[in-house]
Amino acid sequence: MTERISKDMIIADMLKIDAGIAAILMASGMHCVGCPSAQGESLEEAAMVHGLNADELVANVNDYLSKK
């Protein structure tokens, strides 16, 4: 079964699942994947700071993971 992410997951933990997730986040305008905040910030928190829809990001990342 393919691992899935949720909006309450820490960004650093998501990147441990698949480093390719960084490209999806960066393409969405979330360029903080390498910053210290990514070590303790959830996807939902980061999305809110960047004015993004966390549910859309979750859908995009899980779509990417399902195709692997």
Side-chain angles (χ1 to χ4, degrees):
M1 181 174 164
T2 303
E3 189 145 10
R4 295 182 60 82
I5 64 109
S6 62
K7 62 185 175 184
D8 64 327
M9 289 182 75
I10 302 298
I11 293 172
D13 293 339
M14 292 169 47
L15 298 176
K16 289 177 189 172
I17 293 171
D18 189 308
I21 292 171
I24 296 168
L25 298 179
M26 290 176 62
S28 298
M30 192 178 295
H31 299 274
C32 62
V33 294
C35 78
S37 294
Q39 300 303 310
E41 192 169 52
S42 72
L43 179 62
E44 184 172 37
E45 291 167 331
M48 184 173 49
V49 168
H50 292 295
L52 301 171
N53 183 314
D55 293 320
E56 287 179 14
L57 287 171
V58 168
N60 290 341
V61 171
N62 283 329
D63 183 54
Y64 161 77
L65 292 173
S66 72
K67 293 177 180 174
K68 292 206 59 138

